């Protein structure tokens, strides 16, 4: 059993920042990639960012230059630093774990095996 718990969401004004965290517990893996996805009301869940065990990073074009993904393997914790937030960043943010996979798989929601419950991020104008 694997549990992922996100935290750090909240309400912020446009232009502000938030830092999300995701703690992975339960069954351990020798290595895994971690991804962040988000889902706005009435829309499909979309890729935001991902990071491999060794620190290779991937970003959606919409967040490049504003968001930074990182991780602390010793703590089994991942982070998503979000700066210059705008109203289009509003949604529920989910972290997810991917075992194995290729570079292309980092962007694909269906390639992630374990998911957290999500944390709400609301950006006001």
């Amino acid at each position: 059993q694997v549990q992922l718990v996100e935290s750090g969401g909240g309400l912020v004004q446009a232009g502000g920042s938030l830092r999300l965290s995701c703690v992975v517990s339960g069954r351990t893996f020798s290595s895994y990639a971690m991804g962040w996805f988000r889902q706005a009301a009435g829309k499909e869940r979309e890729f935001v960012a991902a990071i491999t065990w060794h620190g290779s990073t991937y970003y959606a074009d919409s967040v490049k230059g504003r968001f930074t993904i990182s991780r602390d393997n010793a703590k089994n914790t991942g982070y998503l630093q979000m700066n210059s937030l705008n109203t289009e960043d509003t949604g529920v943010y989910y972290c997810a774990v991917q075992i194995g996979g290729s570079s292309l798989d980092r962007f694909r929601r269906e390639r992630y095996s374990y998911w957290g419950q999500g944390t709400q991020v609301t950006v006001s104008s």
Side-chain angles (χ1 to χ4, degrees):
Q1 191 76 4
V2 178
Q3 294 85 39
L4 285 73
V5 178
E6 304 98 335
S7 62
L11 173 64
V12 64
Q13 287 191 327
S17 299
L18 283 174
R19 189 193 194 206
L20 305 183
S21 299
C22 175
V23 178
V24 182
S25 63
R27 179 184 171 186
T28 58
F29 305 97
S30 58
S31 67
Y32 56 88
M34 178 179 287
W36 287 94
F37 291 74
R38 66 187 180 190
Q39 187 166 18
K43 295 187 177 181
E44 291 192 355
R45 194 171 300 188
E46 65 176 4
F47 171 80
V48 176
I51 186 168
T52 66
W53 184 262
H54 296 292
S56 296
T57 58
Y58 307 79
Y59 293 96
D61 288 343
S62 60
V63 307
K64 279 181 182 176
R66 300 188 299 122
F67 290 12
T68 302
I69 190 171
S70 62
R71 65 190 293 168
D72 184 335
N73 291 337
K75 296 181 178 179
N76 281 316
T77 301
Y79 306 96
L80 185 67
Q81 177 67 44
M82 305 186 294
N83 299 329
S84 301
L85 286 161
N86 57 60
T87 56
E88 294 186 352
D89 296 317
T90 293
V92 179
Y93 282 69
Y94 299 88
C95 66
V97 162
Q98 183 181 96
I99 309 303
S102 67
S103 295
L104 290 178
D105 290 332
R106 313 306 178 204
F107 301 89
R108 299 170 62 184
R109 181 181 61 191
E110 65 273 19
R111 298 295 292 172
Y112 287 78
S113 302
Y114 304 97
W115 292 82
Q117 293 299 307
T119 184
Q120 176 70 44
V121 171
T122 303
V123 184
S124 63
S125 58

